[in-house]
mmCIF file with all atom_site columns, all heavy atoms in Angstrom:
data_model
loop_
_atom_site.group_PDB
_atom_site.id
_atom_site.type_symbol
_atom_site.label_atom_id
_atom_site.label_alt_id
_atom_site.label_comp_id
_atom_site.label_asym_id
_atom_site.label_entity_id
_atom_site.label_seq_id
_atom_site.pdbx_PDB_ins_code
_atom_site.Cartn_x
_atom_site.Cartn_y
_atom_site.Cartn_z
_atom_site.occupancy
_atom_site.B_iso_or_equiv
_atom_site.pdbx_formal_charge
_atom_site.auth_seq_id
_atom_site.auth_comp_id
_atom_site.auth_asym_id
_atom_site.auth_atom_id
_atom_site.pdbx_PDB_model_num
ATOM 1  N N   . SER A 1 40 ? -38.011 -83.556 19.876 1.00 0.00 ? 40 SER A N   1
ATOM 2  C CA  . SER A 1 40 ? -37.390 -84.643 20.702 1.00 0.00 ? 40 SER A CA  1
ATOM 3  C C   . SER A 1 40 ? -36.466 -84.052 21.773 1.00 0.00 ? 40 SER A C   1
ATOM 4  O O   . SER A 1 40 ? -35.756 -83.075 21.521 1.00 0.00 ? 40 SER A O   1
ATOM 5  C CB  . SER A 1 40 ? -36.617 -85.581 19.780 1.00 0.00 ? 40 SER A CB  1
ATOM 6  O OG  . SER A 1 40 ? -35.545 -84.897 19.176 1.00 0.00 ? 40 SER A OG  1
ATOM 7  N N   . SER A 1 41 ? -36.483 -84.666 22.900 1.00 0.00 ? 41 SER A N   1
ATOM 8  C CA  . SER A 1 41 ? -35.626 -84.323 24.083 1.00 0.00 ? 41 SER A CA  1
ATOM 9  C C   . SER A 1 41 ? -35.692 -82.813 24.363 1.00 0.00 ? 41 SER A C   1
ATOM 10 O O   . SER A 1 41 ? -34.675 -82.160 24.486 1.00 0.00 ? 41 SER A O   1
ATOM 11 C CB  . SER A 1 41 ? -34.229 -84.809 23.866 1.00 0.00 ? 41 SER A CB  1
ATOM 12 O OG  . SER A 1 41 ? -33.594 -84.154 22.816 1.00 0.00 ? 41 SER A OG  1
ATOM 13 N N   . ARG A 1 42 ? -36.875 -82.287 24.457 1.00 0.00 ? 42 ARG A N   1
ATOM 14 C CA  . ARG A 1 42 ? -37.039 -80.849 24.720 1.00 0.00 ? 42 ARG A CA  1
ATOM 15 C C   . ARG A 1 42 ? -36.647 -80.471 26.125 1.00 0.00 ? 42 ARG A C   1
ATOM 16 O O   . ARG A 1 42 ? -36.219 -79.332 26.362 1.00 0.00 ? 42 ARG A O   1
ATOM 17 C CB  . ARG A 1 42 ? -38.526 -80.502 24.490 1.00 0.00 ? 42 ARG A CB  1
ATOM 18 C CG  . ARG A 1 42 ? -38.917 -79.397 23.600 1.00 0.00 ? 42 ARG A CG  1
ATOM 19 C CD  . ARG A 1 42 ? -37.964 -78.985 22.582 1.00 0.00 ? 42 ARG A CD  1
ATOM 20 N NE  . ARG A 1 42 ? -38.001 -77.545 22.490 1.00 0.00 ? 42 ARG A NE  1
ATOM 21 C CZ  . ARG A 1 42 ? -37.103 -76.830 21.852 1.00 0.00 ? 42 ARG A CZ  1
ATOM 22 N NH1 . ARG A 1 42 ? -36.099 -77.407 21.248 1.00 0.00 ? 42 ARG A NH1 1
ATOM 23 N NH2 . ARG A 1 42 ? -37.212 -75.553 21.799 1.00 0.00 ? 42 ARG A NH2 1
ATOM 24 N N   . GLY A 1 43 ? -36.733 -81.392 27.066 1.00 0.00 ? 43 GLY A N   1
ATOM 25 C CA  . GLY A 1 43 ? -36.358 -81.099 28.454 1.00 0.00 ? 43 GLY A CA  1
ATOM 26 C C   . GLY A 1 43 ? -34.885 -80.735 28.587 1.00 0.00 ? 43 GLY A C   1
ATOM 27 O O   . GLY A 1 43 ? -34.533 -79.769 29.218 1.00 0.00 ? 43 GLY A O   1
ATOM 28 N N   . THR A 1 44 ? -34.019 -81.545 27.983 1.00 0.00 ? 44 THR A N   1
ATOM 29 C CA  . THR A 1 44 ? -32.605 -81.298 28.051 1.00 0.00 ? 44 THR A CA  1
ATOM 30 C C   . THR A 1 44 ? -32.228 -80.059 27.272 1.00 0.00 ? 44 THR A C   1
ATOM 31 O O   . THR A 1 44 ? -31.333 -79.321 27.601 1.00 0.00 ? 44 THR A O   1
ATOM 32 C CB  . THR A 1 44 ? -31.772 -82.498 27.547 1.00 0.00 ? 44 THR A CB  1
ATOM 33 O OG1 . THR A 1 44 ? -32.189 -82.793 26.240 1.00 0.00 ? 44 THR A OG1 1
ATOM 34 C CG2 . THR A 1 44 ? -31.944 -83.656 28.472 1.00 0.00 ? 44 THR A CG2 1
ATOM 35 N N   . ALA A 1 45 ? -32.937 -79.781 26.189 1.00 0.00 ? 45 ALA A N   1
ATOM 36 C CA  . ALA A 1 45 ? -32.696 -78.584 25.396 1.00 0.00 ? 45 ALA A CA  1
ATOM 37 C C   . ALA A 1 45 ? -33.013 -77.321 26.197 1.00 0.00 ? 45 ALA A C   1
ATOM 38 O O   . ALA A 1 45 ? -32.305 -76.343 26.134 1.00 0.00 ? 45 ALA A O   1
ATOM 39 C CB  . ALA A 1 45 ? -33.471 -78.611 24.098 1.00 0.00 ? 45 ALA A CB  1
ATOM 40 N N   . ASN A 1 46 ? -34.106 -77.394 26.993 1.00 0.00 ? 46 ASN A N   1
ATOM 41 C CA  . ASN A 1 46 ? -34.455 -76.233 27.826 1.00 0.00 ? 46 ASN A CA  1
ATOM 42 C C   . ASN A 1 46 ? -33.425 -75.975 28.893 1.00 0.00 ? 46 ASN A C   1
ATOM 43 O O   . ASN A 1 46 ? -33.043 -74.837 29.164 1.00 0.00 ? 46 ASN A O   1
ATOM 44 C CB  . ASN A 1 46 ? -35.830 -76.438 28.475 1.00 0.00 ? 46 ASN A CB  1
ATOM 45 C CG  . ASN A 1 46 ? -36.935 -76.168 27.472 1.00 0.00 ? 46 ASN A CG  1
ATOM 46 O OD1 . ASN A 1 46 ? -36.745 -75.500 26.492 1.00 0.00 ? 46 ASN A OD1 1
ATOM 47 N ND2 . ASN A 1 46 ? -38.089 -76.781 27.799 1.00 0.00 ? 46 ASN A ND2 1
ATOM 48 N N   . VAL A 1 47 ? -32.904 -77.063 29.508 1.00 0.00 ? 47 VAL A N   1
ATOM 49 C CA  . VAL A 1 47 ? -31.872 -76.897 30.524 1.00 0.00 ? 47 VAL A CA  1
ATOM 50 C C   . VAL A 1 47 ? -30.587 -76.316 29.947 1.00 0.00 ? 47 VAL A C   1
ATOM 51 O O   . VAL A 1 47 ? -29.986 -75.403 30.513 1.00 0.00 ? 47 VAL A O   1
ATOM 52 C CB  . VAL A 1 47 ? -31.587 -78.256 31.226 1.00 0.00 ? 47 VAL A CB  1
ATOM 53 C CG1 . VAL A 1 47 ? -30.382 -78.146 32.138 1.00 0.00 ? 47 VAL A CG1 1
ATOM 54 C CG2 . VAL A 1 47 ? -32.802 -78.702 32.024 1.00 0.00 ? 47 VAL A CG2 1
ATOM 55 N N   . LEU A 1 48 ? -30.182 -76.820 28.788 1.00 0.00 ? 48 LEU A N   1
ATOM 56 C CA  . LEU A 1 48 ? -28.977 -76.328 28.132 1.00 0.00 ? 48 LEU A CA  1
ATOM 57 C C   . LEU A 1 48 ? -29.151 -74.899 27.669 1.00 0.00 ? 48 LEU A C   1
ATOM 58 O O   . LEU A 1 48 ? -28.201 -74.098 27.766 1.00 0.00 ? 48 LEU A O   1
ATOM 59 C CB  . LEU A 1 48 ? -28.559 -77.235 26.998 1.00 0.00 ? 48 LEU A CB  1
ATOM 60 C CG  . LEU A 1 48 ? -28.034 -78.633 27.395 1.00 0.00 ? 48 LEU A CG  1
ATOM 61 C CD1 . LEU A 1 48 ? -27.786 -79.500 26.184 1.00 0.00 ? 48 LEU A CD1 1
ATOM 62 C CD2 . LEU A 1 48 ? -26.743 -78.491 28.254 1.00 0.00 ? 48 LEU A CD2 1
ATOM 63 N N   . THR A 1 49 ? -30.302 -74.565 27.164 1.00 0.00 ? 49 THR A N   1
ATOM 64 C CA  . THR A 1 49 ? -30.523 -73.192 26.717 1.00 0.00 ? 49 THR A CA  1
ATOM 65 C C   . THR A 1 49 ? -30.524 -72.223 27.904 1.00 0.00 ? 49 THR A C   1
ATOM 66 O O   . THR A 1 49 ? -29.924 -71.152 27.817 1.00 0.00 ? 49 THR A O   1
ATOM 67 C CB  . THR A 1 49 ? -31.902 -73.120 25.970 1.00 0.00 ? 49 THR A CB  1
ATOM 68 O OG1 . THR A 1 49 ? -31.878 -74.041 24.883 1.00 0.00 ? 49 THR A OG1 1
ATOM 69 C CG2 . THR A 1 49 ? -32.172 -71.722 25.459 1.00 0.00 ? 49 THR A CG2 1
ATOM 70 N N   . ARG A 1 50 ? -31.137 -72.627 28.977 1.00 0.00 ? 50 ARG A N   1
ATOM 71 C CA  . ARG A 1 50 ? -31.172 -71.755 30.198 1.00 0.00 ? 50 ARG A CA  1
ATOM 72 C C   . ARG A 1 50 ? -29.752 -71.600 30.745 1.00 0.00 ? 50 ARG A C   1
ATOM 73 O O   . ARG A 1 50 ? -29.352 -70.517 31.140 1.00 0.00 ? 50 ARG A O   1
ATOM 74 C CB  . ARG A 1 50 ? -32.095 -72.393 31.185 1.00 0.00 ? 50 ARG A CB  1
ATOM 75 C CG  . ARG A 1 50 ? -32.689 -71.399 32.152 1.00 0.00 ? 50 ARG A CG  1
ATOM 76 C CD  . ARG A 1 50 ? -33.744 -71.998 33.025 1.00 0.00 ? 50 ARG A CD  1
ATOM 77 N NE  . ARG A 1 50 ? -34.992 -72.094 32.288 1.00 0.00 ? 50 ARG A NE  1
ATOM 78 C CZ  . ARG A 1 50 ? -35.939 -72.997 32.487 1.00 0.00 ? 50 ARG A CZ  1
ATOM 79 N NH1 . ARG A 1 50 ? -35.784 -73.924 33.378 1.00 0.00 ? 50 ARG A NH1 1
ATOM 80 N NH2 . ARG A 1 50 ? -37.051 -72.963 31.762 1.00 0.00 ? 50 ARG A NH2 1
#
Side-chain angles (χ1 to χ4, degrees):
S40 63
S41 66
R42 233 20 221 168
T44 55
N46 283 338
V47 170
L48 290 175
T49 303
R50 205 171 281 151

